[in-house]
Amino acid sequence: MKKQLLVIFGILISFGVKAQEGYHDSTALAIMDKVGEYFGELNSLKFTTQTAEDVAFSDNFFIKEFKTGEFVLQGPNKLAGKIHKHGKDHFYFYNGSQIVYYSLDGNFYAAADAPDKTLDMLEWLYTDFGVELVVADFLYPNFSQNMIDSMDYLEYLGQAELDGNKAFHIGGTNSEMTFQLWVSQDLEIKPMKAVITYFGEPYSRQLEVSFGDWEVNQTYPNSIFEFLPPPSSKQIIWTKKN
Protein backbone atom coordinates (compact mmCIF):
# COMPACT_ATOMS: atom_id res chain seq x y z
CA MET A 1 0.00 0.00 0.00
CA LYS A 2 2.81 2.44 0.90
CA LYS A 3 4.52 1.78 -2.44
CA GLN A 4 1.29 2.45 -4.35
CA LEU A 5 0.78 5.72 -2.47
CA LEU A 6 4.32 6.82 -3.31
CA VAL A 7 3.74 6.08 -7.01
CA ILE A 8 0.47 8.06 -7.05
CA PHE A 9 2.13 10.93 -5.17
CA GLY A 10 4.93 10.99 -7.72
CA ILE A 11 2.44 11.19 -10.61
CA LEU A 12 0.62 14.11 -8.99
CA ILE A 13 3.90 15.98 -8.43
CA SER A 14 4.87 15.40 -12.06
CA PHE A 15 1.49 16.68 -13.25
CA GLY A 16 1.83 19.79 -11.10
CA VAL A 17 5.32 20.58 -12.38
CA LYS A 18 4.24 20.20 -16.01
CA ALA A 19 1.20 22.39 -15.44
CA GLN A 20 3.31 25.16 -13.91
CA GLU A 21 5.89 25.04 -16.68
CA GLY A 22 3.32 24.74 -19.46
CA TYR A 23 2.86 21.54 -21.45
CA HIS A 24 0.88 21.03 -24.65
CA ASP A 25 0.96 17.49 -26.00
CA SER A 26 1.32 17.31 -29.80
CA THR A 27 -1.11 14.37 -30.10
CA ALA A 28 -3.84 16.26 -28.22
CA LEU A 29 -3.25 19.31 -30.42
CA ALA A 30 -3.40 17.24 -33.60
CA ILE A 31 -6.79 15.81 -32.59
CA MET A 32 -8.15 19.26 -31.74
CA ASP A 33 -6.75 20.63 -35.01
CA LYS A 34 -8.77 17.99 -36.83
CA VAL A 35 -11.92 18.84 -34.88
CA GLY A 36 -11.56 22.57 -35.58
CA GLU A 37 -10.81 21.96 -39.26
CA TYR A 38 -13.89 19.73 -39.63
CA PHE A 39 -16.35 22.15 -38.05
CA GLY A 40 -14.76 25.12 -39.81
CA GLU A 41 -15.68 23.60 -43.18
CA LEU A 42 -19.37 22.98 -42.42
CA ASN A 43 -22.19 25.09 -43.85
CA SER A 44 -24.73 24.04 -41.22
CA LEU A 45 -24.91 21.92 -38.09
CA LYS A 46 -27.59 20.37 -35.91
CA PHE A 47 -27.00 18.47 -32.66
CA THR A 48 -28.46 17.71 -29.26
CA THR A 49 -26.99 18.02 -25.77
CA GLN A 50 -27.56 16.46 -22.38
CA THR A 51 -26.16 18.57 -19.56
CA ALA A 52 -25.57 18.04 -15.85
CA GLU A 53 -24.38 21.15 -14.03
CA ASP A 54 -23.65 22.13 -10.43
CA VAL A 55 -25.53 25.35 -9.65
CA ALA A 56 -25.49 27.43 -6.48
CA PHE A 57 -28.42 26.70 -4.15
CA SER A 58 -27.08 28.74 -1.22
CA ASP A 59 -23.80 30.36 -0.20
CA ASN A 60 -22.03 27.06 0.41
CA PHE A 61 -24.23 24.45 -1.22
CA PHE A 62 -24.52 23.32 -4.85
CA ILE A 63 -27.22 21.16 -6.41
CA LYS A 64 -27.11 19.18 -9.65
CA GLU A 65 -29.28 20.58 -12.45
CA PHE A 66 -30.14 18.63 -15.60
CA LYS A 67 -31.24 19.94 -18.98
CA THR A 68 -31.41 18.90 -22.62
CA GLY A 69 -30.84 21.02 -25.68
CA GLU A 70 -31.34 21.02 -29.43
CA PHE A 71 -29.41 23.45 -31.63
CA VAL A 72 -29.31 24.41 -35.30
CA LEU A 73 -26.52 26.60 -36.69
CA GLN A 74 -26.34 27.77 -40.29
CA GLY A 75 -23.64 29.84 -41.88
CA PRO A 76 -21.63 32.25 -39.69
CA ASN A 77 -24.60 34.09 -38.19
CA LYS A 78 -27.73 31.96 -37.71
CA LEU A 79 -28.75 29.94 -34.64
CA ALA A 80 -31.91 28.44 -33.19
CA GLY A 81 -31.94 26.60 -29.88
CA LYS A 82 -34.38 24.84 -27.60
CA ILE A 83 -33.51 24.04 -23.98
CA HIS A 84 -35.68 21.89 -21.73
CA LYS A 85 -35.14 22.16 -17.97
CA HIS A 86 -37.32 22.03 -14.87
CA GLY A 87 -40.09 20.65 -17.09
CA LYS A 88 -40.20 23.84 -19.18
CA ASP A 89 -39.12 24.76 -22.72
CA HIS A 90 -36.94 27.77 -23.45
CA PHE A 91 -36.16 28.97 -26.99
CA TYR A 92 -33.42 31.15 -28.49
CA PHE A 93 -33.46 32.73 -31.95
CA TYR A 94 -30.52 34.53 -33.53
CA ASN A 95 -30.69 36.00 -37.04
CA GLY A 96 -27.31 37.70 -37.26
CA SER A 97 -28.30 40.98 -35.66
CA GLN A 98 -30.61 40.16 -32.76
CA ILE A 99 -30.91 37.42 -30.13
CA VAL A 100 -34.36 36.61 -28.72
CA TYR A 101 -35.18 34.48 -25.69
CA TYR A 102 -38.71 33.07 -25.45
CA SER A 103 -40.34 31.17 -22.58
CA LEU A 104 -43.11 28.94 -23.89
CA ASP A 105 -44.68 28.32 -20.49
CA GLY A 106 -44.63 31.96 -19.42
CA ASN A 107 -45.39 33.27 -22.95
CA PHE A 108 -42.90 36.11 -22.56
CA TYR A 109 -39.80 37.08 -24.52
CA ALA A 110 -36.75 39.33 -24.37
CA ALA A 111 -34.76 40.70 -27.31
CA ALA A 112 -31.36 42.35 -27.59
CA ASP A 113 -29.10 43.57 -30.38
CA ALA A 114 -26.19 41.15 -30.71
CA PRO A 115 -22.82 40.78 -32.49
CA ASP A 116 -23.03 39.79 -36.16
CA LYS A 117 -21.30 36.40 -35.85
CA THR A 118 -22.67 33.34 -34.01
CA LEU A 119 -19.48 32.58 -32.09
CA ASP A 120 -19.08 36.23 -31.05
CA MET A 121 -22.74 36.27 -30.02
CA LEU A 122 -22.33 33.18 -27.82
CA GLU A 123 -19.31 34.69 -26.06
CA TRP A 124 -21.10 38.04 -25.64
CA LEU A 125 -24.22 36.31 -24.31
CA TYR A 126 -22.18 34.63 -21.58
CA THR A 127 -20.00 37.66 -20.74
CA ASP A 128 -22.81 40.22 -20.60
CA PHE A 129 -25.79 38.16 -19.46
CA GLY A 130 -24.25 35.09 -17.82
CA VAL A 131 -26.08 32.78 -20.26
CA GLU A 132 -23.96 29.83 -21.41
CA LEU A 133 -26.25 28.70 -24.18
CA VAL A 134 -24.04 25.83 -25.33
CA VAL A 135 -20.42 24.71 -24.87
CA ALA A 136 -19.13 25.71 -28.29
CA ASP A 137 -15.32 25.88 -28.02
CA PHE A 138 -14.97 23.08 -30.58
CA LEU A 139 -16.82 25.14 -33.23
CA TYR A 140 -13.87 27.49 -33.67
CA PRO A 141 -11.60 26.66 -36.64
CA ASN A 142 -8.64 27.61 -34.40
CA PHE A 143 -9.87 25.33 -31.60
CA SER A 144 -6.41 23.99 -30.70
CA GLN A 145 -4.83 27.47 -30.57
CA ASN A 146 -7.62 28.69 -28.30
CA MET A 147 -6.92 25.77 -25.97
CA ILE A 148 -3.18 26.52 -25.99
CA ASP A 149 -3.94 30.11 -25.03
CA SER A 150 -6.33 29.17 -22.22
CA MET A 151 -4.85 25.93 -20.83
CA ASP A 152 -1.44 25.61 -19.15
CA TYR A 153 -1.48 21.85 -19.58
CA LEU A 154 -2.93 19.70 -22.37
CA GLU A 155 -2.40 15.98 -22.83
CA TYR A 156 -3.77 13.10 -24.86
CA LEU A 157 -4.89 10.61 -22.21
CA GLY A 158 -5.40 7.62 -24.49
CA GLN A 159 -8.36 5.75 -25.90
CA ALA A 160 -11.65 5.42 -24.05
CA GLU A 161 -15.08 3.93 -24.68
CA LEU A 162 -18.38 5.79 -24.27
CA ASP A 163 -21.66 3.93 -24.77
CA GLY A 164 -19.85 1.25 -26.75
CA ASN A 165 -18.10 3.75 -29.06
CA LYS A 166 -14.35 4.35 -29.13
CA ALA A 167 -13.10 7.83 -28.31
CA PHE A 168 -9.94 9.88 -27.97
CA HIS A 169 -9.59 11.27 -24.44
CA ILE A 170 -7.96 14.68 -23.92
CA GLY A 171 -7.34 16.49 -20.63
CA GLY A 172 -6.21 19.97 -19.72
CA THR A 173 -5.91 22.33 -16.78
CA ASN A 174 -5.13 25.90 -15.77
CA SER A 175 -5.33 27.79 -12.50
CA GLU A 176 -9.14 28.04 -12.69
CA MET A 177 -10.35 24.72 -14.08
CA THR A 178 -9.71 21.26 -15.45
CA PHE A 179 -11.03 20.26 -18.85
CA GLN A 180 -11.75 16.83 -20.33
CA LEU A 181 -12.90 16.09 -23.86
CA TRP A 182 -13.87 12.81 -25.52
CA VAL A 183 -13.78 12.84 -29.34
CA SER A 184 -15.19 10.12 -31.59
CA GLN A 185 -12.81 7.87 -33.52
CA ASP A 186 -14.79 8.14 -36.76
CA LEU A 187 -14.18 9.49 -40.25
CA GLU A 188 -16.14 12.53 -39.08
CA ILE A 189 -14.34 13.44 -35.87
CA LYS A 190 -16.85 14.97 -33.43
CA PRO A 191 -17.02 15.70 -29.69
CA MET A 192 -18.89 13.10 -27.65
CA LYS A 193 -18.58 14.54 -24.15
CA ALA A 194 -16.94 17.43 -22.30
CA VAL A 195 -16.44 17.77 -18.55
CA ILE A 196 -15.28 21.05 -16.97
CA THR A 197 -14.46 21.35 -13.27
CA TYR A 198 -14.18 24.91 -11.96
CA PHE A 199 -12.04 25.65 -8.90
CA GLY A 200 -14.52 28.14 -7.46
CA GLU A 201 -15.12 29.18 -3.88
CA PRO A 202 -16.22 27.81 -1.51
CA TYR A 203 -16.33 24.52 -3.47
CA SER A 204 -15.44 23.28 -6.89
CA ARG A 205 -18.32 22.83 -9.33
CA GLN A 206 -18.67 20.74 -12.46
CA LEU A 207 -20.31 20.98 -15.87
CA GLU A 208 -20.79 17.83 -17.96
CA VAL A 209 -22.17 17.89 -21.51
CA SER A 210 -22.85 14.95 -23.86
CA PHE A 211 -23.34 15.61 -27.59
CA GLY A 212 -25.31 13.53 -30.08
CA ASP A 213 -27.71 13.28 -33.04
CA TRP A 214 -25.38 15.15 -35.36
CA GLU A 215 -26.64 16.39 -38.73
CA VAL A 216 -24.38 18.39 -41.03
CA ASN A 217 -24.72 20.44 -44.20
CA GLN A 218 -28.51 20.41 -44.33
CA THR A 219 -30.33 23.47 -45.65
CA TYR A 220 -32.67 25.12 -43.15
CA PRO A 221 -35.19 27.87 -43.95
CA ASN A 222 -34.25 31.29 -42.61
CA SER A 223 -37.65 31.50 -40.92
CA ILE A 224 -36.57 29.15 -38.12
CA PHE A 225 -34.01 31.74 -36.98
CA GLU A 226 -36.59 34.52 -36.81
CA PHE A 227 -38.93 35.11 -33.87
CA LEU A 228 -42.58 36.11 -34.32
CA PRO A 229 -44.18 37.04 -30.99
CA PRO A 230 -47.17 34.75 -30.29
CA PRO A 231 -50.56 36.27 -29.50
CA SER A 232 -50.81 37.80 -26.01
CA SER A 233 -47.08 37.32 -25.37
CA LYS A 234 -45.35 39.87 -23.17
CA GLN A 235 -41.98 41.47 -23.83
CA ILE A 236 -39.63 41.86 -20.87
CA ILE A 237 -36.28 43.61 -20.52
CA TRP A 238 -33.19 41.44 -20.89
CA THR A 239 -30.92 42.95 -18.24
CA LYS A 240 -27.15 42.50 -18.14
CA LYS A 241 -25.51 40.78 -15.19
CA ASN A 242 -23.75 42.90 -12.59
Side-chain angles (χ1 to χ4, degrees), residues 42 45 82 96 148 158 217 237:
L42 297 179
L45 177 64
K82 174 185 176 182
I148 289 174
N217 286 344
I237 298 175

Side-chain angles (χ1 to χ4, degrees), residues 68-161:
T68 60
E70 181 180 355
F71 301 92
V72 176
L73 294 86
Q74 184 161 269
N77 59 359
K78 298 287 189 298
L79 178 146
K82 174 185 176 182
I83 293 177
H84 183 82
K85 65 178 181 179
H86 303 313
K88 299 179 180 181
D89 291 327
H90 307 265
F91 295 84
Y92 293 84
F93 305 91
Y94 170 67
N95 61 7
S97 61
Q98 188 179 67
I99 177 74
V100 178
Y101 161 72
Y102 174 63
S103 168
L104 178 62
D105 294 84
N107 198 25
F108 60 81
Y109 67 95
D113 293 333
D116 59 2
K117 295 291 188 295
T118 300
L119 295 177
D120 294 338
M121 181 276 295
L122 291 173
E123 184 176 350
W124 164 83
L125 194 62
Y126 177 73
T127 301
D128 283 24
F129 296 96
V131 177
E132 188 167 32
L133 188 56
V134 59
V135 175
D137 301 77
F138 60 87
L139 295 175
Y140 291 84
N142 55 343
F143 176 35
S144 60
Q145 185 59 52
N146 288 348
M147 295 302 292
I148 289 174
D149 294 339
S150 61
M151 292 290 162
D152 300 322
Y153 180 94
L154 283 169
E155 185 173 1
Y156 171 59
L157 302 176
Q159 296 188 35
E161 189 170 300

Side-chain angles (χ1 to χ4, degrees), residues 46-50 69 191-192 210-215:
K46 182 179 181 180
F47 61 94
T48 60
T49 59
Q50 293 183 329
M192 300 171 67
S210 296
F211 303 92
D213 302 318
W214 297 94
E215 294 181 12

Side-chain angles (χ1 to χ4, degrees), residues 57-68:
F57 181 75
S58 63
D59 291 340
N60 58 355
F61 181 51
F62 285 89
I63 61 173
K64 189 74 70 176
E65 185 177 87
F66 301 92
K67 62 183 178 182
T68 60

Side-chain angles (χ1 to χ4, degrees), residues 161-208:
E161 189 170 300
L162 295 178
D163 300 324
N165 299 307
K166 291 183 178 180
F168 300 116
H169 187 194
I170 297 170
T173 186
N174 60 25
S175 61
E176 299 177 351
M177 69 178 72
T178 63
F179 172 84
Q180 293 183 77
L181 178 68
W182 289 262
V183 177
S184 62
Q185 295 185 30
D186 295 324
L187 293 177
E188 295 180 283
I189 185 168
K190 299 183 290 290
M192 300 171 67
K193 177 179 287 190
V195 174
I196 304 172
T197 303
Y198 299 94
F199 305 141
E201 294 292 341
Y203 302 110
S204 296
R205 61 184 180 89
Q206 194 169 79
L207 170 69
E208 179 177 321

